[in-house]
Amino acid sequence: MTMAISLKNNKHTAGRVKSRLRRQVRGRKKVAGTAERPRLVVTRSSKHITVQVVDDQVGKTLAFASTTEKDLRAFDGDKTAKAKKVGELVAERAKAAGVDGVVFDRAGNKYHGRIAALADGAREGGLTF
């Protein structure tokens, strides 16, 4: 099963967003989640970061964590520290769902800063990439 990301309907989209979408499509060709190794998807905004573990064969989310959750909103620290905490939290929830290994989908974002911190937190939580 393939996922479709439309690049044609982005007429008034900023250039940096178009570039990220192109990178996302390139990565999505190579990264697909299975039952054995689901996809760890990262969604990043200027304020928050969200991550979910998805089995693409069934189209089901197995675990989810975000900085918008009540307990993480109260967490003190900068956005990078919160991203690491989100990684640890999603690893804990994925382990509870029976997931040990995942494939990392950074969704066209650079593996730097908050994205790297989230990945490190997930690794520390026990997920293998």
Side-chain angles (χ1 to χ4, degrees):
M1 182 162 108
T2 61
M3 294 176 297
I5 300 172
S6 174
L7 294 176
K8 294 181 181 178
N9 299 331
N10 297 321
K11 184 176 180 183
H12 300 290
T13 306
R16 62 185 171 75
V17 175
K18 283 184 180 179
S19 297
R20 189 189 66 79
L21 287 173
R22 276 197 310 272
R23 287 191 304 268
Q24 183 176 5
V25 168
R26 276 199 314 264
R28 201 60 59 79
K29 287 182 203 174
K30 302 170 189 169
V31 176
T34 62
E36 297 81 35
R37 291 190 67 199
R39 187 166 51 101
L40 184 75
V41 191
V42 178
T43 307
R44 178 187 157 282
S45 73
S46 59
K47 284 187 176 183
H48 297 288
I49 195 159
T50 302
V51 63
Q52 47 186 336
V53 178
V54 178
D55 181 0
D56 289 322
Q57 292 175 336
V58 185
K60 186 176 177 188
T61 299
L62 306 172
F64 170 83
S66 173
T67 53
T68 59
E69 294 177 18
K70 192 170 185 175
D71 54 340
L72 283 175
R73 279 188 176 269
F75 180 74
D76 286 333
D78 60 351
K79 291 186 278 189
T80 307
K82 285 184 180 182
K84 187 168 185 171
K85 192 74 173 168
V86 168
E88 293 169 358
L89 188 60
V90 78
E92 175 186 319
R93 292 177 182 172
K95 294 286 243 177
V99 175
D100 290 327
V102 295
V103 290
F104 190 63
D105 180 6
R106 56 190 174 83
N109 296 303
K110 292 180 181 177
Y111 188 84
H112 181 264
R114 288 191 280 158
I115 304 294
L118 185 136
D120 291 341
R123 281 191 195 100
E124 287 176 14
L127 289 180
T128 56
F129 290 25

